[in-house]
Amino acid sequence: MGTFKIPVRVYWEDTDAGRVVYYASYLKFLERARTEWLRALGIDQVQLLREERLQFVVVEANVRYHRPARFDDELVVSVTLESMRGASISMGQEVRRAGELLVSATVRAACIDAETLKPRPLPRALTAKS
């Protein structure tokens, strides 16, 4: 599993009154990239929930804001697998504009039972890809 990347354009809804991306909007960009990364690995989260009663939740996010993005910027958001352990997965993520690093993050997500909300082992569909 190498680094996965998706393009993201900054819309009005992502910015503050100064047309600068609001800090929490980056969390949405990071989430979108993780979702598309799983999809590219063949993991359908709706099917995972329906058939195995599993879902992912973010349990930790360490985000560093290096430079601002602005309205209408074209960004690239990446995901790199760092580790998988039992019921959790850690990923390194970046947001770049024309190669310039804007945001770096480490995100840890846990796999939980959708009914009990207790940790469950990562799905085989994911661990088999590592």
Side-chain angles (χ1 to χ4, degrees):
M1 289 189 223
T3 299
F4 177 81
K5 299 177 183 180
I6 65 165
V8 172
R9 183 177 295 277
V10 176
Y11 298 123
W12 280 115
E13 67 189 30
D14 302 319
T15 64
D16 61 16
R19 297 181 305 156
V20 173
V21 173
Y22 183 64
Y23 79 97
S25 294
Y26 290 104
L27 297 174
K28 293 179 183 182
F29 301 159
L30 298 174
E31 177 75 28
R32 194 174 308 160
R34 290 192 306 275
T35 297
E36 293 303 326
W37 173 69
L38 287 171
R39 188 184 321 274
L41 290 174
I43 306 215
D44 181 334
Q45 291 186 83
V46 173
Q47 183 179 9
L48 194 63
L49 178 61
R50 186 176 50 241
E51 295 178 7
E52 297 185 46
R53 307 305 303 155
L54 295 178
Q55 64 187 62
F56 292 101
V57 294
V58 172
V59 294
E60 184 177 357
N62 183 355
V63 183
R64 172 113 193 263
Y65 301 93
H66 303 273
R67 307 275 306 153
R70 296 186 177 276
F71 170 71
D72 213 32
D73 280 354
E74 293 181 22
L75 309 176
V76 175
V77 185
S78 66
V79 179
T80 304
L81 175 66
E82 290 186 346
S83 66
M84 285 193 276
R85 285 186 243 177
S88 72
I89 182 168
S90 293
M91 297 147 285
Q93 294 196 257
E94 294 181 342
V95 178
R96 292 182 176 266
R97 177 187 54 226
E100 179 184 24
L101 180 63
L102 305 181
V103 173
S104 57
T106 302
V107 177
R108 188 166 60 95
C111 181
I112 63 170
D113 184 287
E115 302 300 324
T116 66
L117 304 181
K118 292 185 179 181
R120 292 256 314 270
L122 293 167
R124 286 191 183 104
L126 180 57
T127 58
K129 305 284 184 183
S130 64

